[in-house]
Amino acid sequence: MYEPVTVPLWLFLPIAAFALWSLLDRLLIPSGRWFLRRRLNRLIDRVNRRLDVEIKPFQLTKRQVLIDRLVYDPQVVAAANDYARENNIPREAAMAEVHRYAREIVPTFNAYVYFRVGYSIARTVARFLYRVRLGFADARTLAGVPPNTAVVFVMNHRSNMDYVLVAFLAAERTTLSYAVGEWARIWPLQQLIKSMGAYFVRRNSNNPIYRRVLERYVHMATEAGVAQAMYPEGGLSRDGRLREPKLGLFDYMLKSFDPKGANDIMFIPVALNYDRVLEDRTLLRSLDGDAPRRSAWFAIRTALTFWFSQIGLMLRGRWFRFGYACVNFGAPISARDWLTAHAGETGGDLRGLDKDRRFEIVGRLAHDVMGRIAQLVPVLPVSLITTALLEALDANEGPLDELELKTRVSTLMADLEARGAKLYVPRADRDYAFHVGLRMLVLRRLVDENAEGLYAASASERPLLAYYANAVAHLR
């Protein structure tokens, strides 16, 4: 009875492995999950107490549950059936596409990653590269927003840093679910962005199944009150000017919106501006259709050269980061109130309208929001000085001394203030603002300073100077 039992090694190893797996699966892994879930719930409770807009249950729902809800949404299933009939393919093949798009779009929101990892990275990167400032915030931005209201931050798009900057500045008020483009679908950035609640958008896709899956996900998130952020321009500004809004996401949010229902949508205009956009030359180059295509090696070499030059400036004590980055938040626009006031005989209900009529109304709302954003664009030192110098260059006036240039900038500031523009004056010191803006341009060799202390815009850099002047050109 007590004699040892001999087991062959080939049998003992599977038995030991099975026993170890059973121990992990039945005891250690559930205990670990319970411990992590308990800590996560405490974090969510603590965060919700200080947020103006709380984390919604929709964001905490398991991803697979959301994918299943999206895949078997009646409108998505109907779109898959129509697609299968029109293209003479099996229904299963169409549904396979639905599954693939749903997995691509639906994020995996993780509050711990958002507030402990994402927020820390955003804050560190933003403060390392820029002097980050909140220039203006309307007192009504998030004050008293009802719990059943979906908040949508609508922003101009000047740089890929926009995502980092706004996520950092808005983290004390709410979590943001971004609509991000294909650029973010690279490993490991994709996993981090999805963990922070962002969803991917194929901006130029005309696939009807994809458009319907995206539409229904946006509808689900909006109906659940998830705070979202979007760039209606559809991409980065190539020349520095504001672009015409695209209506896709606006339409997805409003297509099934019930103005008499319990839920409302608040569009909050947000405007950003920078003293230096890291992608400025690349964006301008993209406007030239005849420009030769650069190789990946050229891009890597240029990036390394740029950052080594910045390190050299740091070592010599001449690195002043990339100037100021400023964000302004405007007053919210209620979709219910706007549609009731502007949608005429429809009474604000767009659900029964055909596409053309609905897009006409949605387009007016989008332009109204973009108009608010245009008025909120922060006027920064570099934009002021480039505007003054380009006017002198276009008038063939020759170099200006410091006093004359300062006088022109002061006149320009007074004119913009009279028009209601939002000027950001660092340290509330206009003389300091003038000098930091001029220093930035001289260090970048966009402005030439001769031996007599006279300043002139570099003629060869005119397109780049115009890029920064264009950021505020609409305010004049």
Side-chain angles (χ1 to χ4, degrees), residues 113 121 160 163-164 180-198 200:
V113 172
I121 292 174
N160 285 315
Y163 299 96
V164 176
V180 299
E182 292 88 339
W183 64 269
R185 295 178 59 199
I186 58 174
W187 187 90
L189 193 59
Q190 176 175 329
Q191 285 69 25
L192 176 62
I193 288 177
K194 278 204 167 189
S195 296
M196 295 183 67
F200 299 112

Side-chain angles (χ1 to χ4, degrees), residues 105-357:
I105 292 170
V106 176
T108 312
F109 178 77
N110 186 304
Y112 189 88
V113 172
Y114 192 99
F115 287 101
R116 289 289 186 266
V117 179
Y119 174 75
S120 298
I121 292 174
R123 178 181 58 189
T124 301
V125 171
R127 287 180 171 174
F128 174 74
L129 296 177
Y130 294 99
R131 294 180 172 91
V132 180
R133 299 293 184 268
L134 174 59
F136 171 82
D138 192 284
R140 298 165 292 170
T141 296
L142 289 177
V145 172
N148 55 351
T149 297
V151 176
V152 182
F153 290 83
V154 188
M155 298 172 278
N156 64 318
H157 204 5
R158 287 188 59 78
S159 170
N160 285 315
M161 272 296 298
D162 296 348
Y163 299 96
V164 176
L165 199 63
V166 176
F168 161 48
L169 290 176
E172 296 298 324
R173 301 181 175 203
T174 185
T175 58
L176 290 180
S177 177
Y178 276 107
V180 299
E182 292 88 339
W183 64 269
R185 295 178 59 199
I186 58 174
W187 187 90
L189 193 59
Q190 176 175 329
Q191 285 69 25
L192 176 62
I193 288 177
K194 278 204 167 189
S195 296
M196 295 183 67
Y199 59 95
F200 299 112
V201 176
R202 299 186 181 196
R203 299 191 186 279
N204 298 316
S205 174
N206 292 317
N207 185 302
I209 295 182
Y210 173 77
R211 305 309 296 185
R212 183 52 58 92
V213 172
L214 177 61
E215 173 197 325
R216 296 308 296 168
Y217 173 76
V218 173
H219 169 74
M220 285 166 49
T222 305
E223 189 176 49
V226 176
Q228 301 175 61
M230 68 175 185
Y231 299 96
E233 295 170 285
L236 293 170
S237 172
R238 306 292 173 176
D239 60 1
R241 297 181 185 275
L242 292 175
R243 303 170 69 180
E244 287 293 307
K246 297 185 181 298
L247 306 183
L249 289 178
F250 278 108
D251 184 56
Y252 293 164
M253 293 176 185
L254 297 171
K255 183 177 182 180
S256 302
F257 175 66
D258 181 3
K260 297 180 181 178
N263 301 326
D264 194 6
I265 303 173
M266 288 287 187
F267 294 105
I268 297 180
V270 182
L272 309 95
N273 199 7
Y274 300 84
D275 272 337
R276 180 171 186 175
V277 173
L278 296 178
E279 312 96 323
D280 51 11
R281 294 186 186 276
T282 302
L283 293 171
L284 284 171
R285 183 179 174 79
S286 68
L287 292 173
D288 185 0
D290 298 326
R293 186 177 179 83
R294 299 281 175 77
S295 66
W297 168 242
F298 179 86
I300 294 171
R301 188 173 70 246
T302 301
L304 290 175
T305 301
F306 170 77
W307 285 110
F308 277 123
S309 69
Q310 299 304 306
I311 292 172
L313 290 173
M314 293 179 198
L315 294 175
R316 297 197 303 272
R318 299 189 63 201
W319 193 69
F320 303 97
R321 289 179 275 186
F322 299 125
Y324 287 90
C326 187
V327 182
N328 290 339
F329 292 85
I333 301 171
S334 164
R336 177 185 292 140
D337 294 345
W338 192 96
L339 289 172
T340 301
H342 297 86
E345 70 282 356
T346 67
D349 194 340
L350 308 183
R351 291 174 293 176
L353 302 181
D354 60 63
K355 182 177 178 180
D356 291 339
R357 175 62 176 145

